[in-house]
Amino acid sequence: ELQERWQANQARKAFDEAIAAAKAKIKPIVKKREVDFTTAKGRTNYQYEDLAMIASEVDPILSEFGFSYRYRARQDGNKVSVTCVIAHREGHSEETTLTAVSDESGNKNSIQAIGSAVTYLQRYTLKLALGLAAAKDDDGNSIGGPEKITEQQAADLKKLAEEVGANLDQFKRYLRVQELNDLPASKYADAVAALNKKRQAK
């Protein structure tokens, strides 16, 4: 048992040293994909980075320092959870999990709604796990103002806040909104991540 604990501690140290070295080489991800559409709420126009763009930047560097990553996903009703597992060649691994509702925006069918949410969560769990920064972080900002979260997403946030024991008024101040419905859609994943982090800390 002492030997196993020693090996696990050495593996964790190797992981920490390698991830720090890898992060030092990963540059901010430049957002080159563009969304541009018009609804009754006005025009939405913003740039973002997709999973393939992130992978093309980080995969060679992660491989150089002995890292690999994979995903696990599960569905509970209309909620989808994605876990990004980053493993090091010395044996230590760490996990980052985010949960969101299916993305039913646009004319997506049920399968597309799930797939869209999974892809979105894969992107954000990897970014969170690696502490990645974007060169231009304006997801969801539109000429007519930022696209807001849906009523269902606001309800899900409220329910999740209650489940983790968060004070709703304090949470809204943290998000800098008067009501949850005012939260920009681009900030939804961050809000969910904050609540999930509080859950894990309990």
Side-chain angles (χ1 to χ4, degrees):
E1 291 178 356
L2 287 173
Q3 176 70 9
E4 289 178 354
R5 287 201 297 269
W6 182 85
Q7 290 176 339
N9 188 50
Q10 292 299 108
R12 181 187 58 77
K13 288 182 178 179
F15 180 101
D16 291 343
E17 292 174 0
I19 200 69
K23 286 181 179 180
K25 292 192 67 174
I26 298 175
K27 298 177 182 179
I29 309 298
V30 178
K31 298 185 176 185
K32 296 181 180 179
R33 299 288 185 265
E34 184 176 9
V35 170
D36 192 351
F37 63 89
T38 302
T39 66
K41 297 180 180 180
R43 183 185 174 195
T44 297
N45 178 259
Y46 63 89
Q47 292 179 317
Y48 70 99
E49 77 283 55
D50 63 16
L51 187 59
M53 291 172 58
I54 297 174
S56 67
E57 175 68 31
V58 306
D59 283 6
I61 298 173
L62 292 178
S63 178
E64 176 185 348
F65 289 95
F67 289 102
S68 62
Y69 61 90
R70 63 186 186 277
Y71 296 99
R72 295 198 307 267
R74 63 181 178 83
Q75 184 180 1
D76 181 12
N78 70 332
K79 292 184 179 180
V80 179
S81 295
V82 170
T83 298
C84 177
V85 183
I86 296 184
H88 188 244
R89 61 188 167 208
E90 295 296 327
H92 184 73
S93 64
E94 295 188 357
E95 300 183 0
T96 301
T97 301
L98 288 176
T99 301
V101 296
S102 300
D103 178 14
E104 297 178 352
S105 61
N107 296 316
K108 299 183 183 72
N109 60 39
S110 58
I111 299 299
Q112 291 171 327
I114 295 170
S116 178
V118 168
T119 301
Y120 186 82
L121 292 172
Q122 285 178 329
R123 179 160 56 105
Y124 271 86
T125 51
L126 180 58
K127 289 174 64 178
L128 283 171
L130 297 177
L132 295 183
K136 185 180 180 183
D137 193 7
D138 62 354
D139 278 16
N141 287 341
S142 65
I143 292 176
E147 191 80 5
K148 303 296 178 60
I149 62 174
T150 65
E151 291 184 5
Q152 182 60 56
Q153 288 174 321
D156 288 335
L157 275 182
K158 182 178 179 181
K159 182 179 179 181
L160 183 57
E162 293 172 348
E163 289 176 356
V164 303
N167 181 285
L168 191 57
D169 289 333
Q170 291 180 354
F171 184 51
K172 287 188 287 188
R173 285 196 294 272
Y174 168 77
L175 298 175
R176 298 181 181 179
V177 295
Q178 294 292 325
E179 300 296 337
L180 292 179
N181 295 41
D182 298 328
L183 184 70
S186 61
K187 302 299 182 183
Y188 179 71
D190 293 336
V192 173
L195 292 174
N196 282 327
K197 185 175 181 180
K198 182 175 179 62
R199 185 204 300 275
Q200 293 169 4
K202 293 180 64 177

PDB file of all heavy atoms in Angstrom, residues 75 77-78 80 102-104 107-117:
ATOM      1  N   GLN A  75     -26.899  10.699 -20.458  1.00  0.00           N
ATOM      2  CA  GLN A  75     -28.106  11.504 -20.618  1.00  0.00           C
ATOM      3  C   GLN A  75     -29.099  11.187 -19.517  1.00  0.00           C
ATOM      4  O   GLN A  75     -29.293  10.025 -19.153  1.00  0.00           O
ATOM      5  CB  GLN A  75     -28.751  11.238 -21.980  1.00  0.00           C
ATOM      6  CG  GLN A  75     -29.962  12.113 -22.275  1.00  0.00           C
ATOM      7  CD  GLN A  75     -30.580  11.819 -23.620  1.00  0.00           C
ATOM      8  OE1 GLN A  75     -30.117  10.933 -24.334  1.00  0.00           O
ATOM      9  NE2 GLN A  75     -31.621  12.540 -23.980  1.00  0.00           N
ATOM     10  N   GLY A  77     -32.897  12.410 -18.996  1.00  0.00           N
ATOM     11  CA  GLY A  77     -34.000  13.212 -19.517  1.00  0.00           C
ATOM     12  C   GLY A  77     -33.495  14.104 -20.641  1.00  0.00           C
ATOM     13  O   GLY A  77     -32.887  13.632 -21.592  1.00  0.00           O
ATOM     14  N   ASN A  78     -33.728  15.424 -20.508  1.00  0.00           N
ATOM     15  CA  ASN A  78     -33.244  16.337 -21.542  1.00  0.00           C
ATOM     16  C   ASN A  78     -31.893  16.934 -21.173  1.00  0.00           C
ATOM     17  O   ASN A  78     -31.411  17.849 -21.838  1.00  0.00           O
ATOM     18  CB  ASN A  78     -34.260  17.468 -21.780  1.00  0.00           C
ATOM     19  CG  ASN A  78     -34.319  18.433 -20.601  1.00  0.00           C
ATOM     20  OD1 ASN A  78     -34.061  18.057 -19.462  1.00  0.00           O
ATOM     21  ND2 ASN A  78     -34.679  19.681 -20.888  1.00  0.00           N
ATOM     22  N   VAL A  80     -27.761  16.531 -20.613  1.00  0.00           N
ATOM     23  CA  VAL A  80     -26.616  15.771 -21.092  1.00  0.00           C
ATOM     24  C   VAL A  80     -25.401  16.162 -20.261  1.00  0.00           C
ATOM     25  O   VAL A  80     -25.162  17.352 -20.029  1.00  0.00           O
ATOM     26  CB  VAL A  80     -26.329  16.056 -22.578  1.00  0.00           C
ATOM     27  CG1 VAL A  80     -25.119  15.270 -23.043  1.00  0.00           C
ATOM     28  CG2 VAL A  80     -27.535  15.714 -23.428  1.00  0.00           C
ATOM     29  N   SER A 102     -30.369  19.727 -23.614  1.00  0.00           N
ATOM     30  CA  SER A 102     -30.220  19.559 -25.053  1.00  0.00           C
ATOM     31  C   SER A 102     -30.423  20.894 -25.758  1.00  0.00           C
ATOM     32  O   SER A 102     -31.279  21.694 -25.370  1.00  0.00           O
ATOM     33  CB  SER A 102     -31.224  18.529 -25.581  1.00  0.00           C
ATOM     34  OG  SER A 102     -31.020  17.277 -24.966  1.00  0.00           O
ATOM     35  N   ASP A 103     -29.640  21.133 -26.790  1.00  0.00           N
ATOM     36  CA  ASP A 103     -29.712  22.390 -27.538  1.00  0.00           C
ATOM     37  C   ASP A 103     -30.826  22.312 -28.569  1.00  0.00           C
ATOM     38  O   ASP A 103     -30.642  21.812 -29.674  1.00  0.00           O
ATOM     39  CB  ASP A 103     -28.364  22.659 -28.219  1.00  0.00           C
ATOM     40  CG  ASP A 103     -28.376  23.925 -29.050  1.00  0.00           C
ATOM     41  OD1 ASP A 103     -29.318  24.736 -28.891  1.00  0.00           O
ATOM     42  OD2 ASP A 103     -27.453  24.105 -29.855  1.00  0.00           O
ATOM     43  N   GLU A 104     -31.997  22.824 -28.214  1.00  0.00           N
ATOM     44  CA  GLU A 104     -33.158  22.738 -29.099  1.00  0.00           C
ATOM     45  C   GLU A 104     -33.375  24.012 -29.905  1.00  0.00           C
ATOM     46  O   GLU A 104     -34.453  24.242 -30.451  1.00  0.00           O
ATOM     47  CB  GLU A 104     -34.400  22.422 -28.271  1.00  0.00           C
ATOM     48  CG  GLU A 104     -34.306  21.070 -27.570  1.00  0.00           C
ATOM     49  CD  GLU A 104     -35.518  20.769 -26.714  1.00  0.00           C
ATOM     50  OE1 GLU A 104     -36.358  21.680 -26.546  1.00  0.00           O
ATOM     51  OE2 GLU A 104     -35.616  19.634 -26.213  1.00  0.00           O
ATOM     52  N   ASN A 107     -33.977  24.586 -35.841  1.00  0.00           N
ATOM     53  CA  ASN A 107     -34.916  23.539 -36.258  1.00  0.00           C
ATOM     54  C   ASN A 107     -34.337  22.141 -36.042  1.00  0.00           C
ATOM     55  O   ASN A 107     -34.560  21.225 -36.836  1.00  0.00           O
ATOM     56  CB  ASN A 107     -35.278  23.719 -37.740  1.00  0.00           C
ATOM     57  CG  ASN A 107     -36.026  25.019 -37.992  1.00  0.00           C
ATOM     58  OD1 ASN A 107     -36.929  25.368 -37.230  1.00  0.00           O
ATOM     59  ND2 ASN A 107     -35.647  25.736 -39.039  1.00  0.00           N
ATOM     60  N   LYS A 108     -33.601  21.965 -34.968  1.00  0.00           N
ATOM     61  CA  LYS A 108     -32.955  20.685 -34.708  1.00  0.00           C
ATOM     62  C   LYS A 108     -33.986  19.638 -34.289  1.00  0.00           C
ATOM     63  O   LYS A 108     -34.930  19.936 -33.559  1.00  0.00           O
ATOM     64  CB  LYS A 108     -31.914  20.824 -33.591  1.00  0.00           C
ATOM     65  CG  LYS A 108     -30.775  21.782 -33.871  1.00  0.00           C
ATOM     66  CD  LYS A 108     -29.783  21.763 -32.710  1.00  0.00           C
ATOM     67  CE  LYS A 108     -28.659  22.762 -32.921  1.00  0.00           C
ATOM     68  NZ  LYS A 108     -29.124  24.146 -32.760  1.00  0.00           N
ATOM     69  N   ASN A 109     -33.775  18.387 -34.748  1.00  0.00           N
ATOM     70  CA  ASN A 109     -34.570  17.290 -34.221  1.00  0.00           C
ATOM     71  C   ASN A 109     -33.941  16.839 -32.908  1.00  0.00           C
ATOM     72  O   ASN A 109     -32.921  17.375 -32.474  1.00  0.00           O
ATOM     73  CB  ASN A 109     -34.679  16.136 -35.231  1.00  0.00           C
ATOM     74  CG  ASN A 109     -33.318  15.555 -35.602  1.00  0.00           C
ATOM     75  OD1 ASN A 109     -32.443  15.412 -34.755  1.00  0.00           O
ATOM     76  ND2 ASN A 109     -33.143  15.208 -36.878  1.00  0.00           N
ATOM     77  N   SER A 110     -34.547  15.847 -32.246  1.00  0.00           N
ATOM     78  CA  SER A 110     -34.097  15.463 -30.910  1.00  0.00           C
ATOM     79  C   SER A 110     -32.652  14.953 -30.898  1.00  0.00           C
ATOM     80  O   SER A 110     -31.879  15.251 -29.985  1.00  0.00           O
ATOM     81  CB  SER A 110     -35.030  14.403 -30.331  1.00  0.00           C
ATOM     82  OG  SER A 110     -35.074  13.259 -31.170  1.00  0.00           O
ATOM     83  N   ILE A 111     -32.281  14.180 -31.923  1.00  0.00           N
ATOM     84  CA  ILE A 111     -30.917  13.654 -31.991  1.00  0.00           C
ATOM     85  C   ILE A 111     -29.920  14.780 -32.229  1.00  0.00           C
ATOM     86  O   ILE A 111     -28.847  14.835 -31.607  1.00  0.00           O
ATOM     87  CB  ILE A 111     -30.794  12.598 -33.100  1.00  0.00           C
ATOM     88  CG1 ILE A 111     -31.738  11.422 -32.818  1.00  0.00           C
ATOM     89  CG2 ILE A 111     -29.352  12.106 -33.210  1.00  0.00           C
ATOM     90  CD1 ILE A 111     -31.454  10.702 -31.524  1.00  0.00           C
ATOM     91  N   GLN A 112     -30.252  15.690 -33.119  1.00  0.00           N
ATOM     92  CA  GLN A 112     -29.369  16.822 -33.388  1.00  0.00           C
ATOM     93  C   GLN A 112     -29.221  17.707 -32.157  1.00  0.00           C
ATOM     94  O   GLN A 112     -28.142  18.252 -31.902  1.00  0.00           O
ATOM     95  CB  GLN A 112     -29.911  17.633 -34.563  1.00  0.00           C
ATOM     96  CG  GLN A 112     -29.821  16.927 -35.910  1.00  0.00           C
ATOM     97  CD  GLN A 112     -30.560  17.682 -37.000  1.00  0.00           C
ATOM     98  OE1 GLN A 112     -31.581  18.328 -36.747  1.00  0.00           O
ATOM     99  NE2 GLN A 112     -30.058  17.577 -38.222  1.00  0.00           N
ATOM    100  N   ALA A 113     -30.307  17.858 -31.394  1.00  0.00           N
ATOM    101  CA  ALA A 113     -30.260  18.683 -30.184  1.00  0.00           C
ATOM    102  C   ALA A 113     -29.292  18.094 -29.166  1.00  0.00           C
ATOM    103  O   ALA A 113     -28.521  18.816 -28.524  1.00  0.00           O
ATOM    104  CB  ALA A 113     -31.660  18.806 -29.584  1.00  0.00           C
ATOM    105  N   ILE A 114     -29.312  16.771 -29.022  1.00  0.00           N
ATOM    106  CA  ILE A 114     -28.390  16.105 -28.108  1.00  0.00           C
ATOM    107  C   ILE A 114     -26.962  16.218 -28.619  1.00  0.00           C
ATOM    108  O   ILE A 114     -26.033  16.543 -27.868  1.00  0.00           O
ATOM    109  CB  ILE A 114     -28.775  14.619 -27.933  1.00  0.00           C
ATOM    110  CG1 ILE A 114     -30.136  14.508 -27.249  1.00  0.00           C
ATOM    111  CG2 ILE A 114     -27.709  13.871 -27.135  1.00  0.00           C
ATOM    112  CD1 ILE A 114     -30.704  13.101 -27.250  1.00  0.00           C
ATOM    113  N   GLY A 115     -26.785  15.967 -29.922  1.00  0.00           N
ATOM    114  CA  GLY A 115     -25.448  16.034 -30.515  1.00  0.00           C
ATOM    115  C   GLY A 115     -24.833  17.412 -30.380  1.00  0.00           C
ATOM    116  O   GLY A 115     -23.636  17.551 -30.092  1.00  0.00           O
ATOM    117  N   SER A 116     -25.650  18.448 -30.568  1.00  0.00           N
ATOM    118  CA  SER A 116     -25.153  19.814 -30.451  1.00  0.00           C
ATOM    119  C   SER A 116     -24.701  20.104 -29.026  1.00  0.00           C
ATOM    120  O   SER A 116     -23.646  20.714 -28.802  1.00  0.00           O
ATOM    121  CB  SER A 116     -26.257  20.798 -30.864  1.00  0.00           C
ATOM    122  OG  SER A 116     -25.822  22.137 -30.723  1.00  0.00           O
ATOM    123  N   ALA A 117     -25.483  19.654 -28.043  1.00  0.00           N
ATOM    124  CA  ALA A 117     -25.121  19.871 -26.641  1.00  0.00           C
ATOM    125  C   ALA A 117     -23.842  19.121 -26.279  1.00  0.00           C
ATOM    126  O   ALA A 117     -22.971  19.649 -25.587  1.00  0.00           O
ATOM    127  CB  ALA A 117     -26.265  19.442 -25.728  1.00  0.00           C
TER     128      ALA A 117
END
